[in-house]
Amino acid sequence: MRSTGRPGADTVLICGAGIAGTVLAYRLARAGLRPTVVERSAALRRAGNAVDLRGPAVEVMAEMGVLGELEARATELDEFFRIDSSGKRVFTMAPEVIGGEIELLRTELNAVLLDAAHAGVEYRFGDSIRSLDDRGDGVCVAFDSGGRGDFDLVVGADGLHSRTRRLTCGPETEFVRHLGCYQAHFTTGNVLGLRNAGLLFNRPGRTLGCYTVHQNTELVIGLFFESAQRSYDRADVAAQRHWINRVFDGMGWRTAELLEAMRACDDFYFDAIAQVSLARPYRGRVALVGDAAYGPSLLSGMGATLAIVGAAILADEISGHPDDHQQAFARYASRIRDMARLSQELARASLGWFIQPDDARGIPPETQLAADRESDVLRDRTLAAVRAAFANPPSRARK
């Protein structure tokens, strides 16, 4: 893990083995560089919701040779609808509003990508960076395990609560924008008997959503609620579940039954719904990618697509400018700017549609259709910006 001793980008430390970090590692290794991935968790995490792949993200998956496997693991939802407190359908949504060209569980996407990206990549699970010392001609990294290493470049792909971003740019409060709500996800058996379907149940300030996975044998449950930003212990799962139980108590329909299932799940996930905004996603020899740099939140439906395409762009710029990381990072920042901005606009526009001040019974169908059309237009603009970013290759290639 030692630097070559010359200005360049041969050794790259990637912090985070999620979607962005794994795609970045794969493309750097294929270009002849030497990526090392450090991941704080001892193994791939199991919790999380489904993610959508759209446009160029699907092309990147095809280039990695994993498209067929991802399609085989897709949720394949045929319909998505809102219900009232009696369980009656009150509005059916177009599938493309909820899912992309491919929709699958984040955990399954991560596993497939990791299997494809092992060649030429060193992985260090159960460790994390403790400190970074950018010396101009390289970065000296100290790890929680006590080890040290010198790298030409460092990339933070460590998500919304990025330690790399904090060490490089400053505290999270300067870059993370809370959107006024929180989320929880877990998996349980298909107690609702849904088939290739999902639903949303809205009450004032609260939304319960669920959809089928694994050939209709299981449901992913999503719980979303309005709240001012609060301090809480991210490691205290019991307290998070208690918070969820208090918020959703008395919501009606079959919510109590699903909350009971939450007690037995082993893949509970809880976090704020927030966005990350950086004027410049790099400093010196350290760059940020994916949610660590421009996370739009799950409300956009574009987070995984941006992570994949952003990682592909960054990898191609680094390998295309091996002796000039400043140019590589600057071009990367320029190329992703519009797609990041528009995806965040899309998320903010979707917030009121997703977590509503009134329940679904009081929302006229014409209002729903108008909201769908507005989201469709903004989603199309965002996807056009993603395609434009991906179609703008590095000015020269690595030889």
Side-chain angles (χ1 to χ4, degrees):
M1 298 187 300
R2 296 182 62 186
S3 169
T4 59
R6 64 168 180 80
D10 284 335
T11 57
V12 182
L13 176 67
I14 301 167
C15 305
I19 297 171
T22 305
V23 171
L24 177 65
Y26 172 87
R27 292 180 80 95
L28 290 177
R30 289 290 296 268
L33 281 71
R34 292 181 289 156
T36 297
V37 178
V38 60
E39 166 58 47
R40 179 167 56 89
S41 298
L44 286 181
R45 301 177 187 180
R46 297 186 57 243
N49 59 312
V51 295
D52 309 327
L53 305 185
R54 305 173 189 264
V58 178
E59 297 177 35
V60 175
M61 297 298 95
E63 292 175 7
M64 292 182 68
V66 299
L67 185 55
E69 186 169 359
L70 297 182
E71 290 174 335
R73 294 170 178 252
T75 57
E76 296 183 338
L77 299 183
D78 295 327
E79 58 179 350
F80 218 102
F81 49 88
R82 294 187 189 274
I83 62 170
D84 62 18
S85 56
S86 69
K88 178 183 176 181
R89 300 188 187 194
V90 295
F91 187 79
T92 299
M93 291 166 278
E96 59 269 19
V97 173
I98 299 296
E101 295 167 52
I102 303 174
E103 182 183 58
L104 75 162
L105 292 175
R106 178 184 298 273
T107 53
E108 298 196 354
L109 174 58
N110 282 346
V112 172
L113 293 178
L114 188 65
D115 284 345
H118 269 292
V121 181
E122 178 185 351
Y123 285 90
R124 297 179 56 175
F125 282 90
D127 203 356
S128 184
I129 56 171
R130 180 183 295 275
S131 66
L132 298 170
D133 182 11
D134 188 341
R135 299 175 175 177
D137 62 348
V139 185
C140 180
V141 180
F143 296 94
D144 284 343
S145 62
R148 304 183 71 87
D150 295 318
F151 301 87
D152 293 315
L153 302 175
V154 173
V155 178
D158 42 354
L160 176 67
H161 305 291
S162 169
R163 181 184 287 187
T164 313
R165 185 185 62 231
R166 176 172 58 81
L167 292 172
T168 305
C169 302
E172 182 172 303
T173 52
E174 295 184 13
F175 309 105
V176 177
R177 175 185 179 184
H178 182 66
L179 294 183
C181 45
Y182 288 83
Q183 60 177 318
H185 297 272
F186 64 93
T187 305
T188 189
N190 188 1
V191 296
L192 302 179
L194 295 175
R195 294 191 62 80
N196 299 107
L199 61 83
L200 292 175
F201 173 44
N202 296 94
R203 301 298 288 173
R206 298 173 290 177
T207 293
L208 182 153
C210 61
Y211 50 89
T212 54
V213 294
H214 300 147
Q215 290 76 50
N216 298 304
T217 62
E218 292 183 305
L219 296 174
V220 174
I221 310 298
L223 299 159
F224 312 88
F225 64 97
E226 292 180 342
S227 172
Q229 188 169 7
R230 286 177 46 174
S231 296
Y232 68 96
D233 185 349
R234 291 176 53 223
D236 190 345
V237 174
Q240 295 162 18
R241 294 188 191 195
H242 180 68
W243 189 1
I244 287 288
N245 278 312
R246 283 193 294 106
V247 169
F248 285 87
D249 182 43
M251 185 172 176
W253 185 55
R254 299 177 68 173
T255 304
E257 177 184 357
L258 296 174
L259 290 176
E260 184 66 24
M262 181 179 69
R263 295 177 56 188
C265 75
D266 61 359
D267 61 348
F268 180 80
Y269 171 85
F270 182 90
D271 207 344
I273 297 180
Q275 294 181 335
V276 176
S277 181
L278 289 168
R280 193 175 68 174
Y282 65 93
R283 181 170 295 179
R285 287 183 169 268
V286 181
L288 299 163
V289 68
D291 283 354
Y294 43 79
S297 86
L298 86 167
L299 297 176
S300 71
M302 296 293 295
T305 292
L306 262 62
I308 290 167
V309 174
I313 290 172
L314 178 57
D316 292 351
E317 290 295 345
I318 290 173
S319 59
H321 303 90
D323 299 317
D324 192 346
H325 71 278
Q326 293 180 341
Q327 184 178 5
F329 287 173
R331 279 184 52 83
Y332 157 68
S334 176
R335 290 174 64 183
I336 68 169
R337 184 174 296 115
D338 285 346
M339 72 178 196
R341 174 180 58 82
L342 287 168
S343 68
Q344 296 196 346
E345 288 183 18
L346 175 60
R348 293 192 295 270
S350 301
L351 179 57
W353 168 89
F354 194 74
I355 303 179
Q356 300 170 347
D358 299 305
D359 68 4
R361 185 191 301 274
I363 302 171
E366 58 270 21
T367 302
Q368 291 279 2
L369 290 171
D372 281 358
R373 285 194 292 268
E374 180 182 359
S375 293
D376 287 345
V377 170
L378 192 48
R379 188 177 297 104
D380 288 345
R381 289 180 58 204
T382 304
L383 193 52
V386 175
R387 290 193 175 101
F390 190 64
N392 182 15
S395 55
R396 67 184 179 89
R398 181 179 176 90
K399 298 181 179 179

